[in-house]
Amino acid sequence: MAAPKRVCLVGSGNWGSAIAKIIGANAAKNPKFDNTVNMWVFEELVNGRKLTEIINTEHENVKYLPGHKLPPNVVAVPDLLDAVKGADILVFVIPHQFVGKVCDTIKDTIKKDAVGMSLIKGVDEGPDGLKLISDVIREKLGIPMTVLMGANLANEVAEEKFCETTIGCKYKEVGPLLKELMQTTNFRVTVVEESDVVEICGALKNIVAVGAGFCDGLGFGDNTKAAVIRLGLMEMIAFARIFCTSGSVSPVTFLESCGVADLITTCYGGRNRRIAEAFARTGKSIEELEKEMLNGQKLQGPATAAEVNHILKHKNLVEKFPLFNAVHQICHQGHPVKEFITCLQNHPEHM
């Protein structure tokens, strides 16, 4: 029998800690995986104590996922190189702005035959426009990459409420193993091959959620919000068709959890919607609200809107994506939020 695979979680925020519950429990009972799961924790002090020490003695991430016990075989490691050493499966779950730096740090330490899995929702700007986070990691580390995206609000996953998720994996031999690592009775995994589409859904839905939040803040009803979700989904599909060059983009992938389900949950829950609603109600800046409401977490929607806008400009396609464009203009160019509705009224879908 093959040696058990060692798993390392690179990241330990709200979502990272929720996933640590699943991975820790599965690794402990499945002989295909090494019992110990390392979790890299960016060291910080909480009430005068080191966060890693709290996690390793009390088995709880008191800062980012309070009230939930982590399995005792999940070990918090403050040194990134120590955490990744010897890992066969690297699960990346850090804010997307830190990916480059983390990869540069670990590239000479990781096993050459490791496999990566990105749970990071966001995109990067590349020389030709859009760059998927998994591509950034793959190029920097030289390892095969997979992604996991779905309608997975972290606190609900931690509470073990039923949900589904999607793994995008091009490699036939890796998909089933990753499914065994991630699946539980209440966290149901579907594996699909179109990993770039799975990942682009995870990034783009945050832009739509900002639009949904504007609707809530402006007092429009559920009909309007449904229109935002539908038009947003149409723009997501159109964007994927332009930018996922690895092959045909099948509409079926958008019916997976990573597509329509994640879009719905993010437009009704989720931090992008919440901050956008407060932005429309209070007139405070996105940055101010992020500081006030997010306990150190980062917002992805406005940043992704800016990156997407940059790419669409480059290709002269901005006017074909009025919803994405309106979110960008309101977040970054001082466009009045109350005019958001005009992007729906005059959408090309209605012409």
Side-chain angles (χ1 to χ4, degrees):
M1 189 174 150
K5 303 282 188 199
R6 297 186 63 173
V7 184
C8 171
L9 273 151
V10 182
S12 57
N14 182 239
W15 183 212
S17 299
I19 279 297
K21 278 189 71 172
I22 289 176
I23 290 179
N26 282 347
K29 60 175 191 256
N30 187 331
K32 289 183 187 171
F33 303 104
D34 190 275
N35 184 58
T36 302
V37 174
N38 281 358
M39 177 168 78
W40 174 57
V41 175
F42 183 79
E43 191 67 279
E44 49 190 312
L45 292 178
V46 179
N47 301 327
R49 288 178 68 197
K50 288 179 175 174
L51 183 55
T52 51
E53 186 193 304
I54 298 171
I55 292 172
N56 289 335
T57 51
E58 287 155 39
H59 306 297
E60 183 183 345
N61 187 335
V62 291
K63 176 153 188 191
Y64 296 108
L65 192 68
H68 290 283
K69 284 287 177 222
L70 298 175
N73 60 320
V74 173
V75 178
V77 182
D79 183 286
L80 177 56
L81 295 180
D82 286 346
V84 301
K85 210 170 276 160
D88 300 290
I89 299 171
L90 295 161
V91 179
F92 292 90
V93 54
I94 46 177
H96 84 286
Q97 44 283 43
F98 303 132
V99 168
K101 192 168 165 231
V102 163
C103 288
D104 288 339
T105 306
I106 66 174
K107 65 173 183 278
D108 298 326
T109 305
I110 59 162
K111 288 177 78 166
K112 294 290 166 264
D113 59 351
V115 172
M117 180 193 251
S118 171
L119 278 62
I120 302 165
K121 292 176 176 174
V123 287
D124 215 4
E125 273 184 57
D128 310 318
L130 178 91
K131 204 161 191 153
L132 298 173
I133 300 295
S134 65
D135 287 338
V136 175
I137 300 172
R138 187 172 47 80
E139 284 171 22
K140 283 188 177 281
L141 300 182
I143 61 175
M145 284 300 298
T146 63
V147 298
L148 179 144
M149 307 273 151
N152 307 141
L153 295 175
N155 289 11
E156 294 185 16
V157 172
E159 285 157 16
E160 296 175 30
K161 293 179 173 167
F162 180 87
C163 70
E164 303 172 315
T165 199
T166 312
I167 290 178
C169 176
K170 297 188 197 64
Y171 316 98
K172 291 267 191 292
E173 66 290 357
V174 176
L177 184 71
L178 294 176
K179 181 168 177 163
E180 280 189 58
L181 179 65
M182 305 308 296
Q183 179 152 279
T184 70
T185 318
N186 286 319
F187 192 71
R188 305 310 289 178
V189 176
T190 305
V191 181
V192 301
E193 269 184 50
E194 288 188 341
S195 59
D196 49 357
V197 179
V198 172
E199 189 169 2
I200 203 94
C201 284
L204 297 178
K205 53 102 200 194
N206 284 327
I207 307 178
V208 186
V210 172
F214 291 159
C215 281
D216 291 340
L218 294 165
F220 299 131
D222 283 337
N223 294 346
T224 310
K225 196 151 142 183
V228 168
I229 293 171
R230 189 190 79 82
L231 293 167
L233 180 62
M234 299 309 278
E235 292 193 15
M236 285 167 62
I237 295 171
F239 192 91
R241 290 209 162 121
I242 295 164
F243 291 99
C244 294
T245 50
S246 64
S248 66
V249 169
S250 142
V252 176
T253 306
F254 293 90
L255 299 178
E256 294 293 347
S257 182
C258 60
V260 70
D262 196 8
L263 181 60
I264 291 167
T265 196
T266 313
C267 288
Y268 279 89
R271 60 187 103 147
N272 288 281
R273 188 216 62 79
R274 206 166 76 240
I275 297 261
E277 177 181 19
F279 174 87
R281 285 222 163 110
T282 63
K284 291 180 179 175
S285 74
I286 296 276
E287 292 72 28
E288 276 176 273
L289 293 164
E290 199 174 48
K291 280 200 188 79
E292 275 175 35
M293 295 168 67
L294 284 191
N295 184 25
Q297 291 175 293
K298 286 295 194 217
L299 205 59
Q300 303 292 6
T304 306
E307 283 151 5
V308 162
N309 186 264
H310 177 82
I311 292 152
L312 291 172
K313 266 208 182 88
H314 186 66
K315 302 217 179 226
N316 286 327
L317 289 170
V318 172
E319 66 293 338
K320 289 201 162 40
F321 293 85
L323 193 145
F324 287 178
N325 190 37
V327 169
H328 170 69
Q329 288 181 324
I330 292 163
C331 290
H332 301 290
Q333 296 177 339
H335 207 73
V337 68
K338 59 180 183 300
E339 287 178 24
F340 176 64
I341 204 70
T342 59
C343 85
L344 306 179
Q345 291 163 337
N346 304 323
H347 202 282
E349 287 263 314
H350 300 144
M351 294 305 170

